[in-house]
Amino acid sequence: MAFSKASVRDATVKGRRVLVRVDFNVPLKDGEVVDDTRIRAALPTLELLRERGAALVLASHLGRPGGEVKPELSLAPVGRRLSELLGVPVTQAPKVIGAEVDLAAGCLGPGEVLLLENTRFEPGETKNDPMLAGSLASLAQVYVNDAFGAAHRAHASTEGVARHLPGYAGLLLEREVTELSKVVEDPARPLVVVLGGAKVSDKVGVIDRFLEVADQILIGGAMCFSFFKAQGKEIGNSLYDEESVVAAREALAKAAASDCALTLPVDLVLGREFSAETERQELDGIEVPDGWMGLDVGPRTGALYAEAVAGAGTVLWNGPMGAFEMEPFAAGTRAVADAVAAAPGKTVVGGGDSVAAMVQFGLEEKVDWLSTGGGASLELLEGKKLPGVEALIDAKPTDREES
Ligand code: ADP
Ligand code: MG
């Protein structure tokens, strides 16, 4: 299914002000941007709009200030980094809306860039307050949403604003939706899905969907302990939660009746506690003794999963295989990451921590598509409609033929 929303490429923007919702929710440390991946991911859309003579008003959230001004969550460091990347000045608005902001937006010439303050400084943002949406809309004549990572939220800057202005999809958002949709709608087979990370209950929707469309699901990370618990195995002090055990039990029942194989680890790496310095042992099996917790999949599991990935027509990986941030428990994640990087099939990696793992291992260039949106990518893969996408105007059939 082709992307059905109007693209920024088809918008008339010359001499107009365009409000662009970007996802500049980047990690900061000591007032500096630590990882500018998400800023760089927005550049193609921003550059296209500037080349076409638009004046840009940029909006993004950063962290969770909870509707009040938190100076440590100001977008100022992001504005500085963006200015370096674009090679032009970026004016920093003192607030999200208000008279000063109106004035700054009104002064913008073609190609100039104004960055609004953190949209979540406004309590109306997450409540999708129509007043805030209206004020944001009054800053521009055209709206572009390129914030894929926030598209699963119906907030004022992602959804409400598109009720007031014609909304177009940014290049990143369009590519994200297209790449992720292909995985579930028309994958080269076999479709192999590797799922890990912390909570099954967050990912139960994706497991459900993939039991219907994938050929094999491989489970790792803390998630596997909810499955083992559901099977009545000993899991020691491994991480699990009751809600996830219920979800895992349902997934196991559904898998038994489906054509999709659901594969669990066959060996583990254990630690005494969640720490890099903890006593460590490899367990050739999965029954965790008292006083220990599973912190990684073992080498046999790593090799098994790597082999499945190597034989896949399409691989989707979401969630690390272990506590990879700690070197003694990184090998399982590393094995999957290496296999994904070397896989001959189409490869897609989603999830903040899995993408971080690819970057940590220096393998990010070797993946066909690295999704910038954690929650949004999961919801899209589940088959849910994303409010930030739905609110955009539909593509005219003629738009598609021209582009
Ligand atoms: P993603 O962001 O890729 O979707 P998640 O956020 O679901 O992944 O999970 C990532 C986290 O899961 C990591 O911080 C990692 O340390 C943790 N994790 C993985 N395996 C285990 C485990 N066996 N025990 C505890 N934590 C784990
Ligand atoms: Mg995460």
Side-chain angles (χ1 to χ4, degrees):
M1 194 188 73
F3 186 65
S4 65
K5 293 297 179 178
S7 165
V8 62
R9 284 175 277 125
D10 304 319
T12 306
V13 299
K14 193 175 164 64
R16 291 176 151 182
R17 280 198 306 272
V18 179
L19 176 69
V20 190
R21 177 52 159 101
V22 283
D23 179 6
F24 287 168
N25 184 28
V26 295
L28 298 179
K29 202 178 169 206
D30 304 326
E32 291 299 324
V33 174
V34 197
D35 177 358
D36 63 5
T37 309
R38 283 182 161 173
I39 306 177
R40 283 187 283 109
L43 293 179
T45 294
L46 304 184
E47 271 158 1
L48 175 118
L49 286 167
R50 291 189 61 244
E51 274 163 26
R52 294 194 178 175
L56 305 188
V57 180
L58 308 184
S60 175
H61 77 283
L62 176 63
R64 299 184 172 207
E68 42 186 288
V69 177
K70 295 253 171 80
E72 68 277 16
L73 290 176
S74 164
L75 280 170
V78 172
R80 288 196 292 273
R81 185 76 193 109
L82 176 65
S83 174
E84 288 167 14
L85 291 167
L86 280 175
V88 298
V90 170
T91 307
Q92 179 79 49
K95 294 163 76 180
V96 185
I97 50 165
E100 288 163 283
V101 182
D102 293 344
L103 195 66
C107 291
L108 287 176
E112 292 183 343
V113 185
L114 173 71
L115 176 62
L116 304 181
E117 248 313 350
N118 189 343
T119 53
R120 290 194 190 166
F121 285 179
E122 285 292 328
E125 165 70 338
T126 56
K127 295 184 187 123
N128 201 0
D129 173 29
M131 294 275 282
L132 176 59
S135 300
L136 285 169
S138 73
L139 296 171
Q141 290 93 42
V142 176
Y143 173 67
V144 170
N145 190 356
D146 210 21
F148 177 71
H152 58 315
R153 311 269 187 225
H155 291 172
S157 69
T158 60
E159 200 273 346
V161 66
R163 300 186 199 178
H164 301 271
L165 291 176
Y168 294 83
L171 301 175
L172 172 67
L173 181 134
E174 180 179 1
R175 181 88 196 270
E176 286 271 16
V177 174
T178 305
E179 293 290 345
L180 294 168
S181 301
K182 259 193 274 177
V183 171
V184 272
E185 285 167 12
D186 185 26
R189 301 232 169 233
L191 169 58
V192 172
V193 180
V194 186
L195 285 180
K199 284 184 84 182
V200 187
S201 51
D202 283 353
K203 300 190 180 178
V204 64
V206 219
I207 298 178
D208 234 50
R209 179 87 189 275
F210 280 120
L211 283 170
E212 285 159 17
V213 298
D215 298 285
Q216 188 173 17
I217 303 177
L218 306 154
I219 305 277
M223 212 189 233
C224 69
F225 300 105
S226 294
F227 283 90
F228 288 144
K229 185 96 183 159
Q231 290 177 328
K233 306 274 200 292
E234 294 298 335
I235 65 164
N237 297 331
S238 305
L239 193 70
Y240 82 101
D241 65 280
E242 275 310 328
E243 197 189 338
S244 294
V245 176
V246 175
R249 192 171 293 126
E250 283 166 13
L252 285 165
K254 185 164 175 175
S258 84
D259 294 329
C260 177
L262 184 67
T263 307
L264 295 170
V266 293
D267 59 349
L268 296 168
V269 180
L270 311 179
R272 288 280 183 191
E273 54 189 60
F274 193 90
S275 145
E277 285 77 41
T278 188
E279 192 186 341
R280 175 187 184 278
Q281 70 160 309
E282 286 182 12
L283 173 74
D284 193 13
I286 51 95
E287 299 267 3
V288 182
D290 280 349
W292 292 87
M293 61 174 74
L295 289 173
D296 194 11
V297 299
R300 278 205 297 133
T301 306
L304 262 170
Y305 287 16
E307 195 181 300
V309 164
T314 308
V315 184
L316 174 83
W317 178 30
N318 177 293
M321 296 294 98
F324 76 99
E325 303 92 333
M326 304 187 286
E327 177 55 32
F329 305 104
T333 302
R334 177 86 214 202
V336 168
D338 283 336
V340 168
K346 159 117 188 169
T347 53
V348 177
V349 178
D353 293 285
S354 328
V355 170
M358 277 327 257
V359 173
Q360 183 180 311
F361 301 143
L363 297 171
E364 73 270 31
E365 301 289 328
K366 303 230 156 74
V367 184
D368 292 315
W369 187 247
L370 271 185
S371 179
T372 54
S377 63
L378 286 177
E379 292 199 14
L380 189 81
L381 291 167
E382 270 177 48
K384 287 193 187 154
K385 301 249 183 244
L386 305 181
V389 176
E390 292 306 302
L392 304 174
I393 57 177
D394 291 325
K396 293 197 285 287
T398 49
D399 290 344
R400 292 294 99 189
E401 282 153 30
E402 280 163 17
S403 60

